[in-house]
Short mmCIF file of all heavy atoms in Angstrom, two decimals:
data_model
loop_
_atom_site.label_atom_id
_atom_site.label_comp_id
_atom_site.label_asym_id
_atom_site.label_seq_id
_atom_site.Cartn_x
_atom_site.Cartn_y
_atom_site.Cartn_z
N MET A 64 220.92 169.82 89.77
CA MET A 64 219.68 169.05 89.54
C MET A 64 218.88 169.56 88.36
O MET A 64 218.49 168.84 87.49
CB MET A 64 218.81 169.12 90.79
CG MET A 64 219.03 168.02 91.76
SD MET A 64 218.53 166.44 91.11
CE MET A 64 218.39 165.52 92.61
N LYS A 65 218.70 170.88 88.41
CA LYS A 65 217.80 171.47 87.41
C LYS A 65 218.29 171.23 86.00
O LYS A 65 217.52 171.05 85.08
CB LYS A 65 217.65 172.97 87.65
CG LYS A 65 216.44 173.28 88.48
CD LYS A 65 216.10 174.75 88.38
CE LYS A 65 214.88 175.04 89.23
NZ LYS A 65 214.73 176.44 89.49
N ARG A 66 219.61 171.28 85.83
CA ARG A 66 220.12 171.11 84.47
C ARG A 66 220.48 169.67 84.19
O ARG A 66 221.13 169.37 83.22
CB ARG A 66 221.36 171.99 84.28
CG ARG A 66 220.96 173.43 84.07
CD ARG A 66 222.07 174.36 84.50
NE ARG A 66 222.12 175.50 83.64
CZ ARG A 66 223.08 175.71 82.75
NH1 ARG A 66 224.06 174.86 82.63
NH2 ARG A 66 223.07 176.78 81.99
N ALA A 67 220.04 168.79 85.06
CA ALA A 67 220.28 167.36 84.87
C ALA A 67 221.75 167.04 84.66
O ALA A 67 222.12 166.29 83.76
CB ALA A 67 219.45 166.83 83.70
N ARG A 68 222.58 167.67 85.44
CA ARG A 68 224.02 167.42 85.28
C ARG A 68 224.53 166.65 86.48
O ARG A 68 224.35 167.03 87.62
CB ARG A 68 224.76 168.75 85.14
CG ARG A 68 226.23 168.54 84.85
CD ARG A 68 226.92 169.86 84.54
NE ARG A 68 227.11 170.66 85.73
CZ ARG A 68 227.31 171.97 85.71
NH1 ARG A 68 227.31 172.62 84.56
NH2 ARG A 68 227.48 172.65 86.81
N LYS A 69 225.21 165.57 86.20
CA LYS A 69 225.86 164.81 87.29
C LYS A 69 227.25 165.38 87.49
O LYS A 69 227.83 165.98 86.60
CB LYS A 69 225.96 163.34 86.89
CG LYS A 69 224.60 162.68 86.78
CD LYS A 69 224.78 161.20 86.61
CE LYS A 69 224.37 160.85 85.20
NZ LYS A 69 224.42 159.44 84.91
N ALA A 70 227.78 165.16 88.68
CA ALA A 70 229.14 165.62 88.95
C ALA A 70 230.08 164.89 88.02
O ALA A 70 230.16 163.68 88.00
CB ALA A 70 229.50 165.36 90.40
N ASN A 71 230.80 165.64 87.23
CA ASN A 71 231.52 165.04 86.13
C ASN A 71 232.82 165.77 85.87
O ASN A 71 232.91 166.98 86.03
CB ASN A 71 230.64 165.18 84.88
CG ASN A 71 230.84 164.03 83.94
OD1 ASN A 71 231.73 163.22 84.11
ND2 ASN A 71 230.00 163.97 82.93
N LYS A 72 233.83 165.03 85.44
CA LYS A 72 235.09 165.70 85.10
C LYS A 72 235.11 166.08 83.63
O LYS A 72 236.03 166.74 83.17
CB LYS A 72 236.26 164.77 85.40
CG LYS A 72 236.58 164.68 86.86
CD LYS A 72 237.83 163.88 87.09
CE LYS A 72 238.16 163.87 88.56
NZ LYS A 72 239.33 163.06 88.86
N VAL A 73 234.12 165.63 82.88
CA VAL A 73 234.10 165.90 81.44
C VAL A 73 233.38 167.22 81.19
O VAL A 73 232.33 167.49 81.75
CB VAL A 73 233.36 164.77 80.70
CG1 VAL A 73 233.30 165.05 79.22
CG2 VAL A 73 234.04 163.45 80.97
N ARG A 74 233.99 168.03 80.37
CA ARG A 74 233.39 169.33 80.06
C ARG A 74 233.32 169.53 78.55
O ARG A 74 234.05 168.91 77.79
CB ARG A 74 234.21 170.46 80.67
CG ARG A 74 234.29 170.32 82.17
CD ARG A 74 235.04 171.43 82.80
NE ARG A 74 235.26 171.13 84.21
CZ ARG A 74 235.85 171.96 85.04
NH1 ARG A 74 236.27 173.13 84.61
NH2 ARG A 74 236.02 171.62 86.29
N VAL A 75 232.42 170.42 78.16
CA VAL A 75 232.22 170.64 76.72
C VAL A 75 232.19 172.13 76.42
O VAL A 75 231.67 172.92 77.21
CB VAL A 75 230.86 170.07 76.25
CG1 VAL A 75 230.78 170.11 74.74
CG2 VAL A 75 230.65 168.67 76.75
N ILE A 76 232.78 172.47 75.29
CA ILE A 76 232.54 173.80 74.75
C ILE A 76 231.80 173.58 73.43
O ILE A 76 232.28 172.88 72.55
CB ILE A 76 233.85 174.57 74.48
CG1 ILE A 76 234.69 174.67 75.75
CG2 ILE A 76 233.54 175.97 73.97
CD1 ILE A 76 236.00 175.41 75.57
N TRP A 77 230.63 174.19 73.33
CA TRP A 77 229.83 174.00 72.13
C TRP A 77 230.07 175.07 71.09
O TRP A 77 230.36 176.22 71.44
CB TRP A 77 228.33 174.00 72.47
CG TRP A 77 227.87 172.74 73.11
CD1 TRP A 77 227.68 172.52 74.43
CD2 TRP A 77 227.58 171.51 72.45
NE1 TRP A 77 227.27 171.23 74.63
CE2 TRP A 77 227.19 170.60 73.43
CE3 TRP A 77 227.59 171.11 71.10
CZ2 TRP A 77 226.83 169.28 73.13
CZ3 TRP A 77 227.24 169.81 70.80
CH2 TRP A 77 226.85 168.92 71.82
#
Side-chain angles (χ1 to χ4, degrees):
Chain A
M64 269 293 199
K65 265 196 180 163
R66 283 154 144 251
R68 185 173 74 201
K69 293 189 250 183
N71 212 351
K72 284 187 177 177
V73 178
R74 300 182 189 183
V75 189
I76 303 180
W77 284 99

